[in-house]
Amino acid sequence: MTDRSPAPLTGDLPAADFRAAAHAAVDWIADYLENPAANPVRSRVQPGDVRNALPASPPIHGEPLEAMLSDFHSTILPGITHWNHPGFFAYFANSASYPGILGELLTAGLNVNGMLWITSPAVTELEELTLDWLRQLLGLAEGWTGQITDTASVSTFYALAAARERAGLDVRTKGLSARADVPRLRVYCSEHAHSSIDKAVMALGLGHENCVKIAVDEQFRMRPDALEAALAADVAAGYRPIAVVPCVGTTSITSIDPVPEVVRIARRYNCWVHVDAAYGGVAAIVPELRYLLDGVDGADSLVVNPHKWLFTPMDCSVLFTRDPATLRQAFALLPEYLVTRTPNETTNLMDYGIQLGRRFRALKLWMVMRAYGAEGLAERIRHHCELARDFAGMVHFEGGWEITAPVTLSLVCFRYAPDGADEDTIASLNAAIMERVNTRGHVYLSHTKLDGRYTLRLAIGNIRTDREHVELAWRELREAARQ
């Protein structure tokens, strides 16, 4: 960059400065993603390193953009754990694809707020179209409508708010506090369900003890008989069941709850059924995996996360519902300053959640689906599932190692379990193995516990992950075990 005059005190920076810095940033992103394994996957900084490397007070005078880019490289990057790294196998791997990044860039440039249809009609209408495309890709029947939120935690919160609204207790107006006429309201989910369900129950004022965890079978799936028994016992005790949350891909192990049976049971108790398919749902784009969403068309709501396994940059969660009127009733509120003269057939996205401001998230998801198409998305997801099965085969045939849960999609749960070792020893060994592997910086894994057994997890979902990265993870795991 050439010499730069001091930053102006009014208006924006010169466009030429932005062009130069933006071109440099885009070039860096392209280089970064062209060689995504160049950095250690897990950050190696110590607590306070990043903050202490930067000034404690804001600058008095404006600084050049190139100075910020310099600090980004020298100070910020060392504190990044690289979720775009092909060796990122922890939690649920995600990735930002080129079309998604381009959509995010354009969204930031437009900087629109789609709270009302009139505040940017394209925000609302592209979101409606994009989510209908996604509905078709997933094989869902007509009649589902969707909205984009930030995360599955918020999507699930909205769904359970709708369940509470459908219960007909006028909680919207009267609340729950000190109401003798309201029984204890209960929500049911698998004991392996995501913590966002617990948090939604707490945030909705139902009380955490009213999030009822249902026992699972030997494949870690919710047991329909246990669900029915819990519902019957609670009704007999005077409780009011309002929602059941089956999972298509639980967090620890990606087990698939029997949604058709759960829906049939829940309907007998007038419960809202919300399907948590935040991770596993998008796998239904693959024709031979369409069965994963069997029974879902009988549910009331469904969440899938394109930012997990559909190569869309964070954040982008989709809440589908077959009862948008109840969802709207739970949240819609129209102060005078938001009254507009628009046709009745338009949708105001602000009516379907607690947020007034609405980012243009649909643009990046729309661009991802256009760039890869139905076949390209399906083949990438299919490839990840194949890699997971290959890794599971490596573990299965290696002495001293074991698979600890069925491999349903692209997650493998496994551990090192040498003959004669007790559970405490196995837990210590695997924790040490994981830390040794993660510290080396080539791959990154996480763990869980299954029936009290310490278990390692390898989750495949990054668009740049291939067989070589999975094989590297296995070599490093075996080497760490030998040490």
Side-chain angles (χ1 to χ4, degrees):
M1 236 180 231
T2 58
D3 291 342
R4 181 184 179 281
S5 58
L9 297 181
T10 59
D12 207 342
L13 299 178
D17 290 357
F18 170 71
R19 287 181 190 276
H23 280 297
V26 169
D27 284 342
W28 179 85
I29 292 171
D31 291 340
Y32 169 67
L33 295 179
E34 196 172 23
N35 189 15
N39 297 286
V41 58
R42 192 178 72 171
S43 172
R44 293 174 172 173
V45 301
Q46 297 300 311
D49 283 355
V50 176
R51 180 167 184 166
N52 293 335
L54 297 169
S57 301
I60 300 299
H61 303 292
E63 299 178 9
L65 294 174
E66 60 263 34
M68 301 169 208
L69 292 178
S70 177
D71 284 347
F72 169 80
H73 293 293
S74 64
T75 304
I76 305 301
L77 269 180
I80 293 295
T81 289
H82 295 276
W83 289 65
N84 275 323
H85 195 292
F88 190 105
F89 298 116
Y91 313 112
F92 280 127
N94 66 18
S95 50
S97 62
Y98 289 130
I101 294 169
L102 183 59
E104 194 73 84
L105 175 63
L106 294 173
T107 295
L110 289 172
N111 191 40
V112 294
N113 185 341
M115 55 189 184
L116 300 165
W117 177 85
I118 196 64
T119 58
S120 273
V123 173
T124 299
E125 296 188 19
L126 186 66
E127 183 163 322
E128 291 175 327
L129 173 70
T130 299
L131 298 191
D132 194 61
W133 281 10
L134 183 58
R135 174 195 66 80
Q136 294 174 54
L137 288 175
L138 296 176
L140 297 174
E142 293 186 6
W144 289 90
T145 62
Q147 65 166 311
I148 299 179
T149 70
D150 53 1
T151 62
S153 298
V154 170
S155 294
T156 294
F157 174 84
Y158 288 175
L160 294 183
R164 191 183 66 177
E165 185 65 25
R166 183 188 279 179
L169 302 170
D170 199 16
V171 174
R172 172 190 169 107
T173 302
K174 297 179 180 179
L176 290 171
S177 178
R179 288 185 60 183
D181 62 318
V182 176
R184 294 180 67 175
L185 308 179
R186 311 208 94 175
V187 174
Y188 305 80
C189 61
S190 157
E191 61 187 20
H192 286 285
H194 191 266
S195 60
S196 60
I197 301 166
D198 301 68
K199 288 190 174 185
V201 168
M202 292 188 290
L204 289 166
L206 307 182
H208 194 201
E209 64 184 17
N210 293 309
C211 183
V212 181
K213 299 299 176 71
I214 304 301
V216 298
D217 62 17
E218 68 283 354
Q219 295 188 44
F220 305 101
R221 303 171 299 188
M222 183 192 295
R223 284 173 40 201
D225 63 320
L227 172 65
E228 185 149 28
L231 287 163
D234 283 351
V235 169
Y239 299 150
R240 174 74 182 274
I242 63 168
V244 181
V245 186
C247 298
V248 176
T250 53
T251 304
S252 284
I253 46 181
T254 66
S255 53
I256 313 296
D257 289 335
V259 176
E261 292 85 349
V262 170
V263 169
R264 284 194 289 270
I265 294 167
R267 287 288 172 257
R268 291 203 293 270
Y269 291 86
N270 297 315
C271 287
W272 182 286
V273 179
H274 172 62
V275 179
D276 180 358
Y279 158 72
V282 297
I285 293 173
V286 183
E288 62 267 29
L289 296 177
R290 188 68 51 82
Y291 73 89
L292 292 167
L293 296 186
D294 284 352
V296 167
D297 279 324
D300 299 285
S301 57
L302 163 73
V303 58
V304 296
N305 277 2
H307 68 227
K308 277 193 172 73
W309 202 8
L310 206 57
F311 322 122
T312 304
M314 285 284 293
D315 48 25
C316 185
S317 177
V318 174
L319 172 63
F320 285 108
T321 181
R322 295 200 311 136
D323 187 1
T326 297
L327 182 62
R328 187 180 187 279
Q329 176 60 30
F331 292 108
L333 186 68
L334 186 63
E336 180 61 31
Y337 52 80
L338 293 176
V339 173
T340 61
R341 293 183 179 179
T342 53
N344 290 334
E345 65 268 20
T346 59
T347 299
N348 293 323
L349 295 175
M350 69 171 190
D351 290 343
Y352 297 89
I354 59 174
Q355 292 180 308
L356 178 60
R358 295 284 306 225
R359 292 186 64 230
F360 195 6
R361 292 187 180 94
L363 184 60
K364 59 186 176 184
L365 178 55
W366 178 69
M367 294 179 76
V368 167
M369 289 195 287
R370 287 191 65 182
Y372 299 116
E375 290 184 353
L377 293 171
E379 187 55 38
R380 287 167 171 83
I381 294 170
R382 181 184 292 116
H383 181 55
H384 289 164
C385 293
E386 291 171 352
L387 291 177
R389 290 193 295 271
D390 289 348
F391 179 81
M394 299 176 199
V395 175
H396 177 72
F397 290 106
E398 183 79 9
W401 292 80
E402 64 181 12
I403 300 294
T404 54
V407 180
T408 55
L409 294 169
S410 67
L411 170 72
V412 183
C413 292
F414 65 103
R415 65 179 187 169
Y416 181 55
D419 290 341
D422 59 27
E423 284 298 327
D424 288 342
T425 301
I426 290 173
S428 297
L429 284 171
N430 282 273
I433 289 169
M434 183 176 70
E435 183 57 28
R436 186 172 289 121
V437 169
N438 289 348
T439 298
R440 293 199 63 185
H442 302 136
V443 296
Y444 184 29
L445 292 86
S446 58
H447 81 283
T448 190
K449 286 188 177 180
L450 302 179
D451 295 333
R453 298 176 300 155
Y454 192 99
T455 294
L456 302 179
R457 297 170 72 260
L458 183 138
I460 301 169
N462 189 294
I463 197 169
R464 298 171 183 88
T465 296
D466 213 332
R467 194 170 308 277
E468 63 190 90
H469 307 108
V470 175
E471 292 174 348
L472 172 61
W474 183 226
R475 287 198 302 272
E476 298 222 340
L477 283 161
R478 286 184 296 167
E479 181 180 342
R482 286 193 295 269
Q483 293 175 0

